[in-house]
Amino acid sequence: MSAKIAARGLRAPVNVTWEMTLKCNLKCIHCLSDSGTPAENELTTQECRTLIDQLTQMKVFQVNIGGGEPFIREDFPGLLNYAHNKGLVTCVSTNGVLIDNSLAKELSKLKMLYLQVSLDGSTEDVNDLIRGKGTYKKILKGIETLSRHKVRFSINTVLTRLNFPQLEELRRLAASFNAEMRVSRFRPSGRAKHSMDKIGPEKYQLEEFADWLAAHDLVRTGDSFFCLTSENRRRKGLDMCGAAKMTCCISPDGSVYPCAFLQENPFLAGNVRDMSFQFMWDHSMVFSSLRNLSVDACLSCARFEVCRGGCPAMAYHTYHTIHMPDPECLVNLKKAAV
């Protein structure tokens, strides 16, 4: 995407992240949203349908649904069907614990659904330190069930210092179930604010991960790992933060933010109960500020065209401002090592 288009903003986001609930049956120590306790005033079934109507009218291509654990909502299967009937592609993030034969059978019928199942270690000891005791076996059971029913899914791993040595094993594990592997970035938002120092990836691991990504072109990232990516991956479009330009986030109570990792009061664009989603996308001052964001310290950097300042959320949670460079950019990592 060109800087000019980014500043103007697209007519509608390409995809929207929708955290449909904060209810969760797990309490992962790196949870971006501190889920586990229901948010007050979560959108009702009818309000969710109305929001889906607005997204389809804007011709949003895909909705990435997460939480919390979306399958905890009793109305969730019906909302999925409603979204698909409206032409919305859905990508659902789940911890996999609630997947059984009955649910997998129903999911296999949904042609516009893609699942991401969270697993944070190729072994029980590593995964369970992050996601809770006993979760590894439950998640593997869910994954096996999805594979048996031929549901399309990927195994999603948040990169930590604990599972970094297991990337190859995780990649092979995903392949054994005919699933893709997706690696997400650890960001210190939600509960992760308190676990970053304990399990966040080390600097040398991030540098080695950049080389590993370059050697494994089929591994998906889909978020701001563009600051660590090779020229080959950059050509695929991972060349700048998409917050408020190509995507944004809707919280369980209908609040709208630039991205899932900036669900903080300074970045609140509005609420779908008070104004239309289209109006916020077109006129929010918060979104405008992200579209015109300039990280001056990065302008002279040789890698500027590769990462354009990196992830504003990482800057915000590290320095309390979005006008600083991504602290985990390859250039900054090397400077810190000197």
Side-chain angles (χ1 to χ4, degrees):
M1 178 191 293
S2 71
K4 185 179 292 187
I5 293 175
R8 187 174 67 244
L10 299 175
R11 179 185 54 78
V14 176
N15 62 67
V16 171
T17 295
W18 184 359
E19 295 192 348
M20 199 168 278
T21 183
L22 283 185
K23 296 176 183 176
C24 195
N25 48 351
L26 301 184
K27 209 159 181 77
C28 305
I29 62 174
H30 62 355
C31 180
L32 70 93
S33 58
D34 198 11
S35 63
T37 303
E40 294 183 6
N41 301 317
E42 292 190 352
L43 296 180
T44 65
T45 302
Q46 185 53 52
E47 287 173 324
C48 287
R49 286 173 174 251
T50 300
L51 179 55
I52 290 169
D53 291 342
Q54 291 186 44
L55 297 178
T56 54
Q57 287 167 7
M58 291 176 68
K59 293 183 169 53
V60 171
F61 173 69
Q62 178 174 301
V63 178
N64 302 324
I65 301 173
E69 172 51 53
F71 286 107
I72 280 184
R73 280 190 67 138
E74 293 182 1
D75 60 355
F76 185 54
L79 290 171
L80 268 182
N81 277 301
Y82 188 78
H84 293 167
N85 289 336
K86 291 282 185 174
L88 268 180
V89 175
T90 57
C91 179
V92 177
S93 295
T94 176
N95 58 42
V97 173
L98 298 179
I99 303 294
D100 57 18
N101 279 310
S102 176
L103 179 55
K105 184 177 180 180
E106 291 305 309
L107 295 178
S108 69
K109 300 174 184 177
L110 303 178
K111 304 306 179 186
M112 299 176 73
L113 169 72
Y114 188 83
L115 283 184
Q116 292 177 174
V117 184
S118 297
L119 182 72
D120 286 310
S122 65
T123 56
E124 185 174 3
D125 58 333
V126 170
N127 176 83
D128 288 10
L129 277 173
I130 298 169
R131 305 194 70 82
K133 187 176 181 180
T135 56
Y136 181 81
K137 291 178 180 176
K138 293 177 181 178
I139 296 167
L140 259 290
K141 185 177 180 181
I143 287 172
E144 290 166 353
T145 304
L146 290 170
S147 181
R148 189 168 60 253
H149 286 275
K150 295 181 170 50
V151 179
R152 288 192 310 150
F153 71 97
S154 64
I155 289 178
N156 185 69
T157 300
V158 175
L159 185 68
T160 66
R161 71 184 62 172
L162 303 179
N163 60 34
F164 171 79
Q166 299 185 334
L167 288 174
E168 274 299 316
E169 294 173 39
L170 283 162
R171 189 176 68 86
R172 288 193 290 269
L173 178 67
S176 71
F177 290 106
N178 293 316
E180 294 182 297
M181 181 184 179
R182 184 178 186 272
V183 185
S184 290
R185 192 171 179 186
F186 189 109
R187 293 186 184 86
S189 63
R191 268 199 300 280
K193 291 179 182 179
H194 310 294
S195 60
M196 179 73 169
D197 291 341
K198 296 178 181 178
I199 66 170
E202 303 276 9
K203 291 182 177 65
Y204 82 89
Q205 292 176 329
L206 289 168
E207 291 182 307
E208 290 183 18
F209 178 67
D211 294 332
W212 186 84
L213 270 184
H216 296 91
D217 198 46
L218 295 180
V219 172
R220 300 169 62 218
T221 55
D223 57 16
S224 75
F225 270 131
F226 55 77
C227 71
L228 298 176
T229 57
S230 63
E231 177 67 18
N232 183 50
R233 278 184 177 261
R234 191 183 74 82
R235 291 194 200 103
K236 296 180 178 181
L238 300 174
D239 64 350
M240 70 165 67
C241 168
K245 308 176 188 79
M246 299 178 67
T247 187
C248 63
C249 175
I250 304 169
S251 71
D253 69 353
S255 296
V256 178
Y257 301 91
C259 84
F261 303 97
L262 285 176
Q263 294 183 76
E264 307 275 344
N265 285 334
F267 304 101
L268 177 62
N271 191 288
V272 297
R273 284 172 165 149
D274 303 322
M275 63 189 82
S276 73
F277 184 80
Q278 179 79 69
F279 183 86
M280 284 181 277
W281 181 257
D282 291 340
H283 302 291
S284 165
M285 294 302 295
V286 171
F287 283 8
S288 178
S289 68
L290 265 291
R291 290 167 186 160
N292 292 281
L293 178 65
S294 176
V295 183
D296 294 341
C298 296
L299 293 177
S300 61
C301 177
R303 290 191 88 245
F304 179 72
E305 290 302 321
V306 177
C307 81
R308 303 185 188 227
C311 174
M314 282 299 298
Y316 178 76
H317 291 296
T318 304
Y319 307 116
H320 307 294
T321 176
I322 61 173
H323 297 280
M324 290 287 285
D326 187 325
E328 291 182 351
C329 171
L330 281 176
V331 173
N332 291 324
L333 287 174
K334 289 173 182 176
K335 284 180 180 177
V338 174

